[in-house]
Amino acid sequence: MKMLLKTALAAAVVATGLVSGAGAAEKLVIAEPLHSLGYLPMYVAIDKGYFSEEGIDASVLTVDGGGAHTNAVLTKQAFAFIGGPEHDAFAKAKGAELRAVVNVVNRGNVYLVSRKDVPGPTDGESMADYLKGKTIATGAFGGTPNSITRYILAVNHLDPKTDVVLQELATAGIMAALKTKQADIGVLSEPMLTQGIDEGLWNEPFYNVPKELGPYTYSTLNVREESIKDQPELVEGFVRAISRGLAFTHEHPDEATTIAVKEFPTMDRKAMKATLDRAFADDLWSADGDIAPEAWKTGKAVVMDAGILKQDVPYDDIIDMSFWKKIQSGE
């Protein structure tokens, strides 16, 4: 009976997404859709104790599957989730109010590659001409890699149903489709990108999304609007910790790499180096946590052109930079 009571109390505590106690750090849960090296600055903020210095005991909960990370925040199993602010827009369409409060990944973290025996675009060849008629393996519908793929097709006036063959697959399926020559082009991210290049499965990227699309709200940290209203000091501390994690990652890449090794101890070191080298080269991470209007403009265009977001959602409806601005002004 005592064990059942303890379990019930623990469940009640987790359901709030945070725990507070007199003089104790507030325990705060961040939901992530996958454990990814792309979220390194967030892990750095935790490892370096930046949350602790704000009186926050932060932990990360990996919740696989669709919008599970968003739902974890909506149902108060987590305080925040890391993911694209388009999820805030989706929630708003259903009557929920979520806000992105600080940036992390400010570029579209995917690349287009051609199978090893499929040449890339020739000089002067348009992207539309190159892609037309090819079979493209990308992520599942609703996910950001899929949305980016559909956006690239849309801006090149290609219909995903008639002008190309679009294979919508799990990540492992994309690699298999290229390996078995069931697809000509793959939409990939690190570390799989370099792994396949090393194995001779595909060529170096012919389309670098981070460079081509520029600033893009790929992964922000998002909280409930009620948290902003009811716990502004907590949200401010949260934003400050993440901003410091971003700054440290940029200023001390070697030490950030050491933290990455601790976070991903079984990851192949060559793959990790390739992933981090590409991330820094392509300005993957926000420098300071700012979410610029142009970054949401691109992010919004991607999901709207992909047909996933059905109505325009203004910047101020899902993004709140008031805490970030306060911190930057030194108030």
Side-chain angles (χ1 to χ4, degrees):
M1 179 64 72
K2 288 183 178 179
M3 182 61 69
L4 288 174
L5 180 58
K6 287 181 179 179
T7 302
L9 286 172
V13 160
V14 171
T16 66
L18 55 91
V19 184
S20 61
E26 294 204 66
K27 293 185 179 180
L28 178 153
V29 178
I30 305 169
E32 60 178 9
L34 73 163
H35 201 52
S36 169
L37 199 55
Y39 303 151
L40 179 59
M42 180 175 73
Y43 307 140
V44 167
I46 295 172
D47 185 270
K48 294 298 294 181
Y50 297 148
F51 282 105
S52 298
E53 291 174 19
E54 299 294 335
I56 299 170
D57 179 3
S59 62
V60 175
L61 174 67
T62 305
V63 284
D64 297 327
H69 57 323
T70 309
N71 290 334
V73 174
L74 291 172
T75 57
K76 300 186 179 181
Q77 297 175 63
F79 175 79
F81 76 85
I82 187 165
E86 66 271 13
H87 293 285
D88 302 346
F90 302 153
K92 190 174 185 67
K94 297 178 180 179
E97 294 292 345
L98 299 171
R99 296 291 185 274
V101 292
V102 64
N103 207 353
V104 178
V105 184
N106 195 43
R107 292 290 190 277
N109 187 21
V110 292
Y111 302 80
L112 272 63
V113 300
S114 62
R115 200 176 67 229
K116 191 64 177 180
D117 59 332
V118 176
T122 59
D123 289 342
E125 184 178 17
S126 71
M127 190 58 58
D129 288 341
Y130 177 72
L131 294 176
K132 191 169 184 178
K134 289 187 169 62
T135 298
I136 304 172
T138 187
F141 181 79
T144 309
N146 185 295
S147 298
I148 289 175
T149 304
R150 289 173 175 272
Y151 176 75
I152 293 170
L153 294 174
V155 297
N156 284 285
H157 308 292
L158 296 173
D159 189 322
K161 294 181 179 179
T162 59
D163 292 325
V164 300
V165 176
L166 202 59
Q167 296 182 341
E168 299 171 309
L169 307 166
T171 303
I174 299 172
M175 188 171 190
L178 289 166
K179 191 172 184 178
T180 59
K181 300 187 177 182
Q182 299 300 305
D184 305 305
I185 293 170
V187 182
L188 300 163
S189 59
E190 292 287 10
M192 184 181 290
L193 175 60
T194 294
Q195 180 184 343
I197 293 171
D198 290 345
E199 293 180 13
L201 298 178
W202 47 75
N203 301 299
E204 286 283 345
F206 66 83
Y207 192 94
N208 181 318
V209 170
K211 295 294 187 183
E212 295 291 340
L213 298 190
Y216 176 169
T217 50
Y218 194 80
S219 297
T220 56
L221 279 156
N222 312 270
V223 303
R224 295 181 298 277
E225 185 183 39
E226 67 183 75
S227 297
I228 292 173
K229 293 178 178 178
D230 299 342
Q231 299 169 298
E233 291 183 359
L234 179 62
V235 177
E236 182 179 333
F238 179 85
V239 171
R240 185 181 292 108
I242 291 294
S243 297
R244 291 179 67 189
L246 286 162
F248 184 91
T249 301
H250 283 286
E251 294 167 8
H252 305 282
D254 290 342
E255 291 184 60
T257 299
T258 300
I259 294 171
V261 171
K262 288 195 293 182
E263 196 70 30
F264 299 89
T266 63
M267 186 175 182
D268 179 80
R269 295 294 180 267
K270 182 179 179 182
M272 179 176 288
K273 183 179 186 304
T275 300
L276 293 176
D277 286 350
R278 200 179 294 272
F280 284 113
D282 291 343
D283 296 319
L284 184 68
W285 296 303
S286 167
D288 52 16
D290 184 27
I291 305 175
E294 65 174 309
W296 169 236
K297 182 179 179 180
T298 299
K300 179 173 63 176
V302 167
V303 289
M304 290 192 75
D305 282 1
I308 297 173
L309 182 62
K310 305 297 184 182
Q311 61 188 47
D312 184 28
V313 178
Y315 176 94
D316 291 332
D317 282 6
I318 57 167
I319 296 171
D320 185 336
M321 284 283 92
S322 61
F323 297 97
W324 182 87
K325 290 177 180 177
K326 181 180 179 181
I327 291 166
Q328 293 298 309
S329 68
E331 293 180 20

